[in-house]
Amino acid sequence: MSATVNAKRVAFIGLGAMGQPMAQHLISAGFEVFGFDLSPDARQTLAKAGGHAVEAMPDAMKDADYVITMLPNGKTVRDALLTGNACGGLKPNALVIDMSSSAPNDTRELGVELATRGLRLVDAPVSGGVKRAVSGTLTIMAGGVQTDIEEAEPLLKSVGSQVFKTGPVGSGHAMKAINNFVSGAGVLAAIEAVVLGRSFGLEPHTIVDILNSSSGKNNATDVKMKQFILSETFGSGFALGLMAKDIRIAADLAKTLGLRLEALASTADAWDAAQKELGPAEDHTRIIRYVMDHA
């Protein structure tokens, strides 16, 4: 990465469990990072890592070449950028990179609105959770104009090991929702398999071992069942409410496109019901408790 690129100013909005290590990787890569979060502790952590912590969002974006948002949903992203014209202090033609999980059609609308303000948008949600955010090995799905994605790549490659170009603005968020549908469906399938097998008399660890040596292997059986679910540590670092939100985005997208996808609809309903019963802040692996209560 060139010294000229490294000198570019980056506003990083959202210094949570994912955003904090991502912002620190950008600092390590040589970018000048101005970070904002509602949490004073999060801002202080960024400052200790060599970033510039600011107490007002517009101050983070003032004269920035790039804005990265890592926030809970698209509404929060929109509010962060547009409320009080917070993005008005950005450099002309600045590039906004939304790495949150948002509804793809809302992202398209945001892209149009930002364009009227002379700004560009790339949606670049991530997969890999807190562990891979810390290691800088996230998978990134980037939607936008080809040249904008190419411009964003030095930043994206500072926080991720793989960057996939998915198509126009909104396509990255569509892909993220699709990915989390498959992930969430896999979690439910693995848990229900264990509940079924244990009811018959099979030992849960044996069930998981056999699944992982057979065609039933998936991400949940490989990295979640023993590690977080059977151990009852429930520490994957990804909230139940966020999983439910992403799967519902996928289900809503299917409806918008006139598709009747029954597995997607039932998966979205199950995660919605689980978050209402257990609470959205619970780790998503705790959904086993919902499954067992309703088995």
Side-chain angles (χ1 to χ4, degrees):
M1 195 184 305
S2 71
T4 301
V5 173
N6 283 351
K8 292 296 182 74
R9 175 168 170 164
V10 180
F12 202 106
I13 312 300
L15 301 169
M18 295 286 290
Q20 185 70 241
M22 292 166 67
Q24 292 185 21
H25 282 303
L26 287 165
I27 295 168
S28 297
F31 290 98
E32 188 178 16
V33 177
F34 288 74
F36 173 79
D37 193 276
L38 293 174
S39 165
D41 289 342
R43 298 196 300 267
Q44 185 177 23
T45 299
L46 181 73
K48 288 179 179 178
H52 304 274
V54 299
E55 296 184 4
M57 201 168 341
D59 292 340
M61 288 191 250
K62 182 175 173 56
D63 295 326
D65 301 280
Y66 304 105
V67 181
I68 293 178
T69 52
M70 193 63 184
L71 297 167
N73 55 57
K75 182 183 184 304
T76 308
V77 170
R78 183 183 185 85
D79 289 347
L81 294 169
L82 301 181
T83 299
N85 194 33
C87 65
L90 290 169
K91 285 186 179 178
N93 202 39
L95 181 60
V96 178
I97 306 170
D98 180 16
M99 304 191 78
S100 317
S101 294
S102 306
N105 288 328
D106 291 347
T107 300
R108 287 179 173 177
E109 293 177 5
L110 178 61
V112 171
E113 188 155 359
L114 289 175
T116 66
R117 298 167 185 248
L119 303 172
R120 298 168 293 147
L121 176 65
V122 165
D123 55 307
V126 304
S127 180
V130 175
K131 182 177 180 180
R132 286 173 59 187
V134 171
S135 65
T137 58
L138 293 166
T139 294
I140 301 171
M141 301 147 253
V145 175
Q146 181 83 0
T147 53
D148 291 343
I149 296 174
E150 290 171 356
E151 183 180 338
E153 279 190 297
L155 292 88
L156 301 179
K157 289 181 177 178
S158 296
V159 302
S161 57
Q162 295 187 91
V163 179
F164 291 93
K165 299 172 184 176
T166 54
V169 167
S171 62
H173 282 147
M175 187 64 237
K176 174 62 185 289
I178 291 167
N179 175 76
N180 277 13
F181 156 52
V182 174
S183 176
V187 171
L188 282 177
I191 289 172
E192 290 188 356
V194 166
V195 170
L196 175 61
R198 183 163 49 191
S199 296
F200 185 75
L202 292 167
E203 201 279 320
H205 283 77
T206 300
I207 296 170
V208 174
D209 286 339
I210 293 172
L211 289 172
N212 281 333
S213 297
S214 307
S215 59
K217 180 178 179 178
N218 65 22
N219 179 263
T221 64
D222 189 28
V223 301
K224 296 179 183 179
M225 288 303 297
K226 287 187 176 183
Q227 296 90 331
F228 305 119
I229 296 174
L230 297 185
S231 67
E232 297 187 347
T233 57
F234 305 120
S236 76
F238 189 64
L240 197 160
L242 293 178
M243 179 68 87
K245 178 205 69 176
D246 288 348
I247 299 173
R248 179 55 62 188
I249 287 173
D252 289 344
L253 181 61
K255 285 184 179 179
T256 299
L257 296 173
L259 298 174
R260 181 181 177 184
L261 302 178
E262 294 183 0
L264 172 54
S266 62
T267 301
D269 289 344
W271 281 96
D272 279 348
Q275 76 155 333
K276 288 176 184 176
E277 186 168 308
L278 301 175
E282 291 286 356
D283 193 273
H284 79 284
T285 55
R286 285 188 186 271
I287 196 172
I288 189 173
R289 294 186 174 175
Y290 170 82
V291 173
M292 292 179 68
D293 287 345
H294 294 270

